[in-house]
Amino acid sequence: MFSPHCCGFYCFTGVIFMTFVWVMLTAQPELITGLEDIEAARSNAFGALITFGVILVACGVMIMKKKGEGGRDYDSTSEDYDSRLNIDLKKNYNQSYGSVPNDSY
């Protein structure tokens, strides 16, 4: 699934482009050829602009909500976190060998 950052960047680009298209259709529609109904094209461009804007705001809210949650899920120092580890770091293992052989260089 896409992140709100990716979607927000896409919508920001869409807002800029659709603003340009809407301004061109409003100010100088004769420069854009191939349109049968300029009013319908202007209305559709404005609708797309509003849609991109609403989704951009929703992505901004999601980004701010994620920042407010306070970091990553695994940043914890509780005992519950320590009990989830597969190895026991509290025991002192006095073994004469390590987990990596010394002659592997």
Side-chain angles (χ1 to χ4, degrees):
M1 186 161 174
F2 292 112
S3 71
H5 296 279
C6 178
C7 186
F9 179 75
Y10 176 75
C11 288
F12 180 72
T13 306
V15 165
I16 291 173
F17 178 72
M18 292 313 296
T19 301
F20 173 74
V21 170
W22 181 71
V23 167
M24 288 298 294
L25 287 172
T26 302
Q28 298 174 339
E30 64 274 359
L31 296 178
I32 300 176
T33 60
L35 296 176
E36 295 177 9
D37 189 6
I38 294 173
E39 288 299 320
R42 184 181 307 142
S43 175
N44 290 339
F46 186 72
L49 172 65
I50 295 300
T51 303
F52 276 123
V54 167
I55 295 173
L56 180 63
V57 169
C59 289
V61 167
M62 290 175 66
I63 290 169
M64 297 309 268
K65 181 181 175 186
K66 191 176 270 190
K67 282 186 179 180
E69 289 176 357
R72 299 169 288 204
D73 294 335
Y74 56 85
D75 285 343
S76 175
T77 58
S78 66
E79 290 294 323
D80 294 334
Y81 179 74
D82 291 337
S83 67
R84 293 187 303 161
L85 293 174
N86 291 331
I87 57 174
D88 189 2
L89 299 175
K90 295 179 181 178
K91 290 183 181 178
N92 186 10
Y93 293 104
N94 291 325
Q95 297 174 348
S96 62
Y97 58 92
S99 61
V100 177
N102 292 334
D103 58 348
S104 64
Y105 297 106

